[in-house]
Amino acid sequence: MTPDALIDQWRRGLRISHAAHYEAAKFYYSLHLVLSLPAVLISAMLSTSVFVALQDSQVQWVKTAMAILSVVAVVLSSLQAALRLAERSERHKTAAVQLGEVRRELEQQLVFQHRDEPTLEKLRKRWDSADRQAPTVPSRIFSRAALRVRDLGDTPKNETHSGA
């Protein structure tokens, strides 16, 4: 592999990883909201409906609805705590920021023709460090990011895609 091919491969890899971690951060944050907002709303509804149920204890459907809602609230809260989606989102965002810094530094080095081995070695070490700390991106998110980067025209001159 030539140095130019390696640099081009790194640049594409960094763009894909950078985009994938931002997408993963958005995905996990959205999932966090999908679980936490209903849990909060259900808990609020339960707390007010307890007073109604205590006053009108003859209505069976209210008791059944409260029982179901309380189970749903517990399940949603448990999922939210176990999956730690907000924390996952933050870890992906941090990884995206770090990878973005490395990507921009590589691009700056390329613009100013700084392709010497010590410079590239420093960038590789920073990239390795960011990768070690980064959580794993789900494969479907990574694949979508790779396709988006390719569709934006980030393909090496000697590489062609058949649309597969």
Side-chain angles (χ1 to χ4, degrees), residues 8 11-13 15-16 149-156 161:
D8 202 45
R11 186 179 52 76
R12 259 192 4 264
R15 286 189 73 190
I16 292 167
V149 167
R150 187 193 77 193
D151 291 346
L152 290 173
D154 196 6
T155 305
H161 292 280

Side-chain angles (χ1 to χ4, degrees), residues 19-32 89 92 148:
H21 279 290
Y22 266 123
E23 287 303 313
K26 289 190 308 190
F27 170 75
Y28 286 121
Y29 186 73
S30 296
L31 206 52
H32 166 72
S89 176
H92 280 290
R148 195 168 37 260

Side-chain angles (χ1 to χ4, degrees), residues 6-8 17-18 33-34 40 42 59-60 67 71 73 84 90 96-97 125 128 132-133 135-138 148 154:
L6 176 65
I7 289 170
D8 202 45
S17 293
H18 181 223
L33 291 178
V34 165
V40 168
I42 290 170
V59 183
Q60 186 61 36
V71 169
R84 299 183 323 208
E90 277 305 310
V97 168
K125 286 181 179 179
D128 289 346
R132 272 192 299 280
Q133 297 172 24
T136 303
V137 175
R148 195 168 37 260
D154 196 6

Side-chain angles (χ1 to χ4, degrees), residues 8 12 19 31 33-34 40-41 43 55 61 80 93 96 119 138 140 154:
D8 202 45
R12 259 192 4 264
L31 206 52
L33 291 178
V34 165
V40 168
L41 292 173
S43 297
Q55 291 174 351
W61 72 267
Q80 183 183 7
K93 187 175 180 182
T119 300
R140 67 182 162 71
D154 196 6

